[in-house]
C-alpha cells in the first residue's frame, strides 16, 4: 500500500483546512487508514481513522466534533477536514494504513501501522 498526502498550510485560529491522502494498493477493503500528527518536541498523536470498506470512523477526544475523516473510493483518497482549528493543532500530519483486525486500542497506535505517507505541515496562527 502506498500513501501520498497533500494539502496543509497556514491558517488562522478558528479557520478550516483540508488535507488529503491518495491511497493505492491491492485489497484496500481489508485496510484501515489513519491520520496522525506530530508537533515539534512531542510524540506522534492519533487524530482519527477510517475503515476503507464501509467508511466507519473513530476520533481522538481532542479533535472529536471539529475534524472529519472521509474516504472517496472513486478518487482513492482519504480526506481530513479540519474545522475550528486551534494553535495547538499545529503539527505535521501523516496518513497511515494497516490491515484491519478490530477496533481495539491498537488501531490508535502508530507503531501498529505498517504503511506511511510523507507528512504535510499544518500551522495554525493565533
Amino acid at each position: 500500500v502506498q500513501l501520498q498526502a497533500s494539502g496543509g498550510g497556514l491558517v488562522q485560529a478558528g479557520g478550516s483546512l483540508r488535507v488529503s491522502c491518495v491511497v493505492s494498493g491491492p485489497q484496500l477493503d481489508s485496510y484501515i487508514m489513519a491520520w496522525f500528527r506530530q508537533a515539534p518536541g512531542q510524540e506522534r498523536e492519533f487524530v482519527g481513522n477510517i475503515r476503507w470498506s464501509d467508511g466507519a470512523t473513530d476520533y481522538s477526544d481532542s479533535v472529536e466534533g471539529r475534524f472529519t475523516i472521509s474516504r472517496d473510493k472513486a478518487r482513492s483518497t482519504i480526506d481530513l477536514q479540519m474545522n475550528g482549528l486551534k494553535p495547538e493543532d499545529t503539527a505535521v500530519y501523516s496518513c497511515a494504513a494497516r490491515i484491519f483486525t478490530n477496533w481495539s486500542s491498537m488501531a490508535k497506535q502508530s507503531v501498529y501501522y505498517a504503511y506511511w505517507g510523507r507528512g504535510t505541515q499544518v500551522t495554525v496562527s493565533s
Side-chain angles (χ1 to χ4, degrees):
V1 174
Q2 294 184 323
L3 306 101
Q4 184 171 354
S6 63
L10 173 65
V11 65
Q12 289 188 331
S16 298
L17 205 58
R18 186 183 188 91
V19 293
S20 296
C21 186
V22 177
V23 185
S24 61
Q27 299 178 321
L28 292 181
D29 279 350
S30 301
Y31 285 79
I32 184 168
M33 287 73 175
W35 286 97
F36 290 87
R37 66 187 182 185
Q38 188 167 21
Q42 297 188 21
E43 293 187 355
R44 185 174 284 166
E45 176 189 14
F46 170 77
V47 175
N49 53 21
I50 185 166
R51 187 164 56 189
W52 187 262
S53 60
D54 62 2
T57 56
D58 191 17
Y59 299 93
S60 70
D61 291 342
S62 62
V63 307
E64 180 85 52
R66 298 188 298 124
F67 290 11
T68 301
I69 298 175
S70 59
R71 61 101 173 84
D72 185 328
K73 286 192 172 184
R75 295 189 299 123
S76 198
T77 61
I78 56 170
D79 300 307
L80 175 64
Q81 177 66 42
M82 301 177 285
N83 299 326
L85 282 161
K86 306 174 182 180
E88 52 263 42
D89 294 318
T90 295
V92 174
Y93 284 71
S94 301
C95 52
R98 58 165 290 186
I99 295 285
F100 178 79
T101 51
N102 55 55
W103 292 102
S104 71
S105 61
M106 292 168 58
K108 299 183 179 182
Q109 298 178 52
S110 61
V111 67
Y112 296 109
Y113 282 77
Y115 306 96
W116 289 83
R118 181 177 294 183
T120 184
Q121 178 71 44
V122 172
T123 302
V124 185
S125 63
S126 57

